[in-house]
Amino acid sequence: MASLAFYLSATVLFAQSSSAFNCSIPPIYVDIHKRAVHDSNVFQYGSFIGVGTPAQNHSLWPSLTHNQTSFGARTFCDGNSTLRECETSTGGFFESQLSTTYAYTLSTSYTLPFAYTQISFDQNKEYQTLDTERNSTFTKSYFGEDTLHLYTHYFETDGASQTLLNNYTVQVVEEGSTKPAVVGVGSSSTVLSSLVAQNRICGKTYSVYIGQGFDRAGGRVNGSNVFGGYDAGRFVNPVHKYNMSTASTSPMVVRVKDIIISETNNANANVSLFDTSAFPSMSARPGSFDAQITTHQYPLSLPYEITQNFISHLGAEEDNFWGDNSLKLKNSFNGSLTIVLEDGFQVTIPPSVLMNASNITPIQSRSKDSTAPFYLSTAFLTQVYLMADYEKSSFYLATAVQKNNMVMPTTFCPGSTPSAYQRPNQGVFLKQGLIGAVIGGIIGSIGIAVCAYCFILSCRRKVSEKRIERRIAESRKAAKMAQFEIEETMEFDPPPKSATPFFWRKT
């Protein structure tokens, strides 16, 4: 009886937890690509989000560690910030004095029945940020309430729709060392909390594909955010589940057990950077290590020994062309790098990412005495689709679909496991396009048969017409011959025998 009560109570609890979320609410899709931003003469890559009334357009960078949504002040680049190429890297500037609305009131004037009062950006000096010192690189900023615009823009050639968050607290950054235009999607994300509070999404769930359309990645594939859901067409099964970490700056932490370098044209040339036989300088095989997933740097940061093995195997050297201490290869290399996680999930960085046109790699140099965390960074996320469930403190990784021709936003109900869109199961015959050739052949044969049939009918019709014409001609000829037949000779009465005048003659 006790066991029955236990199962009944468990069922009730499960039903209560499920009913707490309205999973019929569709998610909010926000694309990531280059666009014109406010007060900048260059297109900048980021999430299509704006702020203010009227809206000032921006490109915000997704942050898994920040919780606030921030914008760069117009004074951000005036000598106080160390951001590289500051004027063209801020994601656009925000000018709070341009953000105004109008409240209409009755006027005492007889000529103007209505008057309006201007309401500017409402600064909140008492607001306490949700970002601690460990997950923020902004040294000076202020907060205020305004209208946040989340734009849904599936295709660049189509118009955008928007979701508004009124009275939303934004951070205006005046000084810092990193890009100030950031949409915070950390564990205490204010944008996720506000969307849930306004019943715009089913729960604090979020998904991102960072894409490769920014300068450092050098690609053309765009990315996307999905608030309260995921894009089912952007990844493939299987999906791997992990628990979030509360002890790290980033809540997304995975354990790496191996890293393998492969040559494209030599299947037998796979080399593990953990292998002591390939790297005799190591006395023992390195143990697996924890790495945080971050969007705040492009190159991966790996343990010192692993980094040294990469340098020695591929002939790499230090380089700081991009200002991120990425390693550069002395010679070209046509190969890939595969990261193997503890649960068996493998992420392969292809040749085009492992070495760009300038031989620069997505691996960061590291000093022997460094105590900085190990990072699986944006280069890692160019190949991975990430889905976060903050309600259940879990996240999911799956292999990303690079070129996605379908946008399929799907509600991510807290506690559920995301599933990729299952494309129709096509056999080899269909996949190779032979069915099209067969159908084309059948249609072509039918067309030829129809043409032949019509040709035969036409010939028979012409033969019949000629036969009819011949009969008509013969009948006409017979009629004419009938007209020329010699008539019977008429009989004349002979002249009278008694007298024959001289003038009468038979004609």
Side-chain angles (χ1 to χ4, degrees), residues 86-345:
C86 189
E87 286 287 342
T88 58
S89 305
T90 61
F93 295 102
F94 173 59
E95 299 181 61
S96 57
Q97 67 273 18
L98 298 181
S99 180
T100 58
T101 58
Y102 298 93
Y104 289 88
T105 58
L106 290 174
S107 173
T108 57
S109 171
Y110 292 101
T111 57
L112 295 174
F114 294 97
Y116 63 83
T117 56
Q118 182 170 302
I119 304 173
S120 300
F121 170 84
D122 189 11
Q123 186 172 348
N124 186 349
K125 297 182 178 181
E126 305 299 324
Y127 184 83
Q128 297 296 317
T129 179
L130 296 178
D131 288 332
T132 59
E133 292 183 359
R134 71 175 186 174
N135 62 354
S136 179
T137 53
F138 304 144
T139 55
K140 184 179 179 181
S141 63
Y142 61 90
F143 294 86
E145 293 182 354
D146 213 318
T147 301
L148 192 71
H149 303 252
L150 304 176
Y151 294 101
T152 299
H153 190 241
Y154 295 114
F155 302 102
E156 295 185 40
T157 55
D158 295 342
S161 60
Q162 65 177 340
T163 300
L164 299 180
L165 279 177
N166 297 313
N167 301 320
Y168 178 77
T169 301
V170 299
Q171 182 179 14
V172 184
V173 183
E174 297 176 294
E175 294 180 10
S177 59
T178 60
K179 184 175 180 177
V182 167
V183 53
V185 286
S187 56
S188 300
S189 169
T190 57
V191 67
L192 288 175
S193 298
S194 297
L195 289 171
V196 171
Q198 296 185 21
N199 205 34
R200 302 294 184 87
I201 58 176
C202 68
K204 290 196 298 181
T205 56
Y206 167 78
S207 302
V208 63
Y209 174 65
I210 203 66
Q212 301 177 34
F214 50 103
D215 293 340
R216 178 62 180 90
R220 297 183 178 181
V221 180
N222 294 328
S224 63
N225 310 271
V226 186
F227 299 94
Y230 57 87
D231 185 352
R234 180 56 87 175
F235 62 97
V236 295
N237 291 327
V239 175
H240 298 261
K241 180 180 179 180
Y242 308 90
N243 294 324
M244 290 186 180
S245 171
T246 57
S248 304
T249 303
S250 171
M252 320 294 181
V253 179
V254 293
R255 196 159 187 82
V256 179
K257 71 175 183 180
D258 203 356
I259 298 177
I260 301 170
I261 295 179
S262 305
E263 291 186 28
T264 302
N265 299 323
N266 189 352
N268 298 320
N270 295 340
V271 175
S272 169
L273 297 181
F274 286 62
D275 189 1
T276 55
S277 62
F279 304 98
S281 60
M282 295 189 301
S283 58
R285 180 181 175 88
S288 57
F289 63 92
D290 288 338
Q292 300 181 28
I293 299 177
T294 183
T295 59
H296 285 279
Q297 66 178 58
Y298 181 79
L300 288 75
S301 183
L302 306 173
Y304 175 76
E305 278 189 315
I306 302 300
T307 304
Q308 291 302 306
N309 291 344
F310 179 85
I311 293 173
S312 64
H313 184 66
L314 294 182
E317 59 187 2
E318 293 189 6
D319 181 85
N320 200 31
F321 177 82
W322 289 97
D324 56 14
N325 298 314
S326 294
L327 295 170
K328 181 178 180 179
L329 302 186
K330 297 177 183 178
N331 302 307
S332 298
F333 175 72
N334 186 17
S336 60
L337 182 145
T338 300
I339 300 170
V340 184
L341 303 187
E342 194 173 45
D343 66 339
F345 181 43

Side-chain angles (χ1 to χ4, degrees), residues 457-506:
L457 286 180
S458 177
C459 292
R460 294 181 65 180
R461 186 180 297 111
K462 288 182 179 180
V463 171
S464 178
E465 289 176 353
K466 288 183 178 181
R467 186 182 295 113
I468 294 173
E469 289 176 356
R470 189 164 53 251
R471 289 178 180 176
I472 292 174
E474 290 176 353
S475 62
R476 287 178 178 176
K477 184 176 180 181
K480 283 186 177 181
M481 292 301 295
Q483 292 179 357
F484 285 102
E485 287 181 356
I486 300 175
E487 297 179 356
E488 294 180 358
T489 303
M490 296 181 62
E491 293 183 359
F492 292 91
D493 295 332
K497 295 179 178 182
S498 57
T500 304
F502 68 92
F503 53 82
W504 189 89
R505 296 284 190 275
K506 181 178 178 181

Side-chain angles (χ1 to χ4, degrees), residues 349-473:
I349 296 178
S352 60
V353 178
L354 185 59
M355 186 194 71
N356 67 10
S358 300
N359 285 15
I360 299 176
T361 75
I363 309 298
Q364 189 177 59
S365 62
R366 189 181 183 92
S367 62
K368 190 173 184 178
D369 56 352
S370 174
T371 58
F374 307 125
Y375 289 119
L376 298 181
S377 53
T378 308
F380 176 81
L381 292 176
T382 60
Q383 311 301 314
V384 173
Y385 194 71
L386 184 149
M387 297 153 278
D389 182 355
Y390 290 113
E391 301 284 0
K392 303 299 181 181
S393 297
S394 59
F395 67 99
Y396 302 83
L397 301 177
T399 301
V401 174
Q402 299 293 315
K403 186 60 177 177
N404 182 26
N405 294 322
M406 299 178 295
V407 178
M408 304 183 66
T410 305
T411 299
F412 186 3
C413 192
S416 65
T417 299
S419 179
Y421 167 69
Q422 296 295 324
R423 291 164 175 77
N425 186 18
Q426 297 179 341
V428 176
F429 191 69
L430 291 175
K431 290 180 180 179
Q432 293 180 352
L434 297 180
I435 186 65
V438 172
I439 292 175
I442 293 174
I443 294 175
S445 300
I446 293 174
I448 293 173
V450 170
C451 291
Y453 179 70
C454 293
F455 177 75
I456 293 172
L457 286 180
S458 177
C459 292
R460 294 181 65 180
R461 186 180 297 111
K462 288 182 179 180
V463 171
S464 178
E465 289 176 353
K466 288 183 178 181
R467 186 182 295 113
I468 294 173
E469 289 176 356
R470 189 164 53 251
R471 289 178 180 176
I472 292 174

